């Protein structure tokens, strides 16, 4: 099973709202990622959690707040977003062990629209 | 710096072969990947190749790697309309970090 699930599939929010995106995997992977993807562009890394600790923050604005409650779950808390934050948010997971492929498996994404 | 280049568009007829090309710059990348993205969907891993291989075949997909020229290609045999999508080439310079993606090649298959 190489499935990463994400909820919700679509989200529309106002600039004053607080919402959360959720991601789950049951592959035993110990690294989880958030990427942001604008239309017709490749994904851009936002955050990496490795063994439930934040290991990479790609200078993401503080209105995006990641959380990794356990090794299977990854959340992205959203607050006071701007219309330019509208995008597809993709979660991925991998197993970064020496000698392994560290292949990243992606979820279906959450399409976020900020009004 | 790290960079992955791909041609942006490819148009083929159903039943023909498609070849999508990619060049990368980081010779330390251990694995190179091809992902497929259909409209409105996430990224689907198609295949990957280890850097010490020069070819990998998986059903209709053939990946060729020229490590000397840092050139990677994906051949899709007997292309179908369901293969219409954006194809991303990606390299992984270091485990647990960002994949470095190309800009993606939009494959259009006409019947």
């Amino acid at each position: 099973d190489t499935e990463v699930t994400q909820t919700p599939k679509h989200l529309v929010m106002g600039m004053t709202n607080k919402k959360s995106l959720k991601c789950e995997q049951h592959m035993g992977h110990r690294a989880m990622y958030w990427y942001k993807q604008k239309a017709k562009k490749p994904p851009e890394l936002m955050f990496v959690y490795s063994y439930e600790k934040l290991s990479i923050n790609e200078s993401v604005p503080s209105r995006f707040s990641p959380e990794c409650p356990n090794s299977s779950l990854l959340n992205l808390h959203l607050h006071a977003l701007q219309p330019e934050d509208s995008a597809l948010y993709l979660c991925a997971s991998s197993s970064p062990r020496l000698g392994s492929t560290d292949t990243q498996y992606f979820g279906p994404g959450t399409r976020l629209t900020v009004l | 710096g790290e960079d992955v280049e791909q041609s942006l568009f490819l148009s083929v007829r159903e039943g023909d072969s498609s070849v999508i090309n990619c060049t990368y710059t980081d010779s330390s990348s251990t694995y190179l990947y091809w992902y497929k993205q259909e409209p409105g969907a996430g990224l689907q891993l198609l295949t990957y190749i280890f850097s010490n291989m020069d070819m990998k075949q998986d059903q209709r997909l053939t990946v060729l790697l020229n490590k000397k020229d840092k050139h990677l290609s994906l051949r899709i045999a007997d292309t179908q309309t369901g293969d219409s999508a954006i194809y991303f080439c990606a390299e992984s310079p270091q485990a647990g970090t960002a994949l470095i993606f190309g800009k993606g090649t939009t494959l259009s298959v006409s019947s």
Side-chain angles (χ1 to χ4, degrees):
Chain A
D1 181 14
T2 56
E3 188 177 27
V4 177
T5 58
Q6 289 187 244
T7 56
K9 192 171 172 60
H10 300 278
L11 179 62
V12 179
M13 59 186 290
M15 289 190 282
T16 58
N17 292 157
K18 283 186 182 181
K19 296 285 185 184
S20 297
L21 309 185
K22 297 185 184 302
C23 173
E24 191 166 3
Q25 58 89 14
H26 293 289
M27 296 178 276
H29 289 171
R30 301 313 297 269
M32 295 186 77
Y33 309 74
W34 281 116
Y35 286 85
K36 174 183 178 180
Q37 186 182 27
K38 296 288 248 181
K40 310 285 188 194
K41 300 287 187 187
E44 295 176 346
L45 184 70
M46 300 173 73
F47 303 103
V48 181
Y49 272 82
S50 181
Y51 292 87
E52 296 152 57
K53 291 192 187 326
L54 184 64
S55 59
I56 296 177
N57 175 343
E58 290 287 354
S59 303
V60 179
S62 59
R63 59 186 184 268
F64 295 91
S65 175
E67 179 197 18
C68 190
N70 61 55
S71 59
S72 300
L73 291 174
L74 184 67
N75 297 321
L76 186 62
H77 303 297
L78 314 172
H79 174 54
L81 293 194
Q82 303 297 310
E84 59 265 28
D85 297 321
S86 299
L88 182 67
Y89 287 83
L90 293 163
C91 174
S93 70
S94 74
S95 182
R97 292 190 303 269
L98 280 177
S100 78
T101 66
D102 189 34
T103 300
Q104 293 186 26
Y105 294 91
F106 285 81
T110 293
R111 174 75 59 190
L112 175 67
T113 303
V114 182
L115 302 176
Chain B
E2 301 153 345
D3 200 11
V4 177
E5 298 282 343
Q6 296 179 242
S7 52
L8 294 181
F9 299 100
L10 177 64
S11 184
V12 301
R13 284 191 163 183
E14 194 173 21
D16 288 349
S17 291
S18 307
V19 179
I20 302 171
N21 294 300
C22 169
T23 56
Y24 62 97
T25 55
D26 194 327
S27 57
S28 68
S29 290
T30 307
Y31 290 93
L32 296 148
Y33 302 89
W34 285 103
Y35 287 89
K36 174 185 179 183
Q37 188 173 35
E38 296 183 33
L43 270 68
Q44 173 195 351
L45 176 69
L46 279 182
T47 187
Y48 61 86
I49 188 166
F50 188 43
S51 59
N52 71 352
M53 299 170 65
D54 51 20
M55 186 180 94
K56 181 179 179 182
Q57 187 149 3
D58 184 1
Q59 298 182 349
R60 292 191 297 123
L61 305 178
T62 303
V63 179
L64 296 178
L65 175 61
N66 181 327
K67 198 172 180 184
K68 174 175 166 289
D69 294 337
K70 298 192 180 73
H71 182 265
L72 183 71
S73 68
L74 173 70
R75 178 177 181 269
I76 306 172
D78 187 25
T79 312
Q80 303 296 306
T81 54
D83 295 322
S84 294
I86 301 176
Y87 290 80
F88 290 100
C89 167
E91 61 175 339
S92 179
Q94 188 178 344
T97 63
L99 286 170
I100 309 299
F101 287 95
K103 288 183 166 53
T105 300
T106 299
L107 174 64
S108 175
V109 183
S110 57
S111 55

